[in-house]
């Protein structure tokens, strides 16, 4: 009965590669998010989609591209991975952009 | 711009005792939500409690309660009868009600240790 799921949970890859992280929610929520948590545990929003429409696009490199094929999915694709991309990436969803968010388990990305 | 501050990077509490985590925020808005999230070592972010700014009554959720002081822009979390499972990072978060394009703002977190 996983509410917000992410795959993979761990991802180790080399610099320059392209990778994707998938996110799915079965809560019937309209809004989904991607966050980056750095080594100091600071949580920073990257993107937010409401009804498949981008509503928040913080200053992130354009190597990061979110894709929302439907309301239940928000995938994150990262091109040309760099060492500084190493972090834990969290997907989250909420009933609408104003309500509390439910988080996935996180994906720990390590770029070597 | 809204900011959220948690002035205590680390705290510890004895099992069964009570601990209060502080959070202050800066906003010029009057209608917003405040949240406390817990992140245990498992890394999962878990919603602990939510407070609507228009409500004067402090939110409670079992052993967790908040002290919401709107004028002071303060939103502290009290954990009563602390348990070993309460050990985690705790994040305070703010969300303005007025604009879908505004994001959640998270504080830097407080690491809580529970001593047996």
């Amino acid at each position: 009965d996983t509410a917000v799921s992410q795959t993979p949970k761990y991802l180790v890859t080399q610099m320059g590669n392209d990778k994707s992280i998938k996110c799915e929610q079965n809560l019937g929520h309209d809004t989904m998010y991607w966050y980056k948590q750095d080594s100091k545990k600071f949580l920073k929003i990257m993107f937010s989609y409401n009804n498949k429409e981008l509503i928040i696009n913080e200053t992130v490199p354009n190597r990061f591209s979110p894709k929302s094929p439907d309301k239940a999915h928000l995938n994150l694709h990262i091109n040309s991975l760099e060492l500084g991309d190493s972090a834990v990436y969290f997907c989250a969803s909420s009933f609408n952009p104003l309500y509390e968010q439910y988080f996935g388990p996180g994906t720990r990305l390590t770029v070597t | 711009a809204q900011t959220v501050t948690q002035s205590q990077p680390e705290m510890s509490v004895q099992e069964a005792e009570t601990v209060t985590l502080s959070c202050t925020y800066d906003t010029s808005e009057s209608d917003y939500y405040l949240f406390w999230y817990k992140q245990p070592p498992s890394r999962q972010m878990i919603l602990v409690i939510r407070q609507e700014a228009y409500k004067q009554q402090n939110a409670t959720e079992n052993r967790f309660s908040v002290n919401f002081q709107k004028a002071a822009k303060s939103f502290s979390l009290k954990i009563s009868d602390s348990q070993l499972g309460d050990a985690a990072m705790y994040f305070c978060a703010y969300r303005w009600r007025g604009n879908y394009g505004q994001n959640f703002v998270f504080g830097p977190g407080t690491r809580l240790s529970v001593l047996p």
Side-chain angles (χ1 to χ4, degrees), chain B residues 42-115:
Chain B
S42 67
R43 209 172 63 201
Q44 181 78 46
M45 291 281 288
I46 303 163
L47 176 69
V48 175
I49 204 162
R50 159 190 161 150
Q51 174 82 42
E52 289 92 340
Y54 65 85
K55 288 187 178 178
Q56 293 186 339
Q57 188 173 5
N58 288 325
T60 62
E61 193 68 44
N62 300 317
R63 297 181 296 106
F64 297 87
S65 62
V66 298
N67 183 3
F68 174 47
Q69 302 288 329
K70 191 172 184 179
K73 297 179 185 174
S74 169
F75 183 60
S76 60
L77 175 71
K78 185 171 87 170
I79 307 173
S80 304
D81 186 25
S82 297
Q83 301 176 357
L84 294 177
D86 295 333
M89 283 286 288
Y90 285 83
F91 294 95
C92 179
Y94 162 98
R95 177 60 168 94
W96 179 41
R97 285 193 66 183
N99 185 336
Y100 272 19
Q102 296 292 318
N103 56 26
F104 274 68
V105 179
F106 282 85
T110 295
R111 183 177 301 280
L112 177 67
S113 301
V114 180
L115 309 173

Side-chain angles (χ1 to χ4, degrees), chain A residues 2-23:
Chain A
T2 306
V4 183
S5 60
Q6 294 177 229
T7 52
K9 288 190 177 176
Y10 298 92
L11 183 54
V12 180
T13 188
Q14 292 185 329
M15 284 175 57
N17 285 348
D18 303 339
K19 290 293 178 186
S20 291
I21 307 172
K22 294 186 177 181
C23 178

Side-chain angles (χ1 to χ4, degrees), chain A residues 37 45 97 100-101 103 106, chain B residues 37 43-44 50 95 104:
Chain A
Q37 187 176 43
I45 193 162
E100 61 268 21
Q101 298 172 12
F103 285 77
Chain B
Y37 280 87
R43 209 172 63 201
Q44 181 78 46
R50 159 190 161 150
R95 177 60 168 94
F104 274 68

Side-chain angles (χ1 to χ4, degrees), chain B residues 4-61:
Chain B
V4 177
T5 302
Q6 294 176 249
S7 59
Q8 306 147 316
E10 294 186 4
M11 289 194 73
S12 62
V13 62
Q14 208 71 36
E15 199 175 1
E17 297 293 308
T18 295
V19 64
T20 299
L21 309 183
S22 66
C23 171
T24 58
Y25 55 95
D26 185 24
T27 182
S28 58
E29 306 298 337
S30 60
D31 196 7
Y32 49 85
Y33 297 107
L34 295 163
F35 307 87
W36 278 98
Y37 280 87
K38 169 185 176 181
Q39 186 179 37
S42 67
R43 209 172 63 201
Q44 181 78 46
M45 291 281 288
I46 303 163
L47 176 69
V48 175
I49 204 162
R50 159 190 161 150
Q51 174 82 42
E52 289 92 340
Y54 65 85
K55 288 187 178 178
Q56 293 186 339
Q57 188 173 5
N58 288 325
T60 62
E61 193 68 44

Side-chain angles (χ1 to χ4, degrees), chain A residues 92-111:
Chain A
S93 73
S94 62
F95 177 69
N96 69 34
L98 302 180
Y99 278 61
E100 61 268 21
Q101 298 172 12
Y102 293 83
F103 285 77
T107 296
R108 182 178 293 281
L109 171 65
T110 304
V111 182

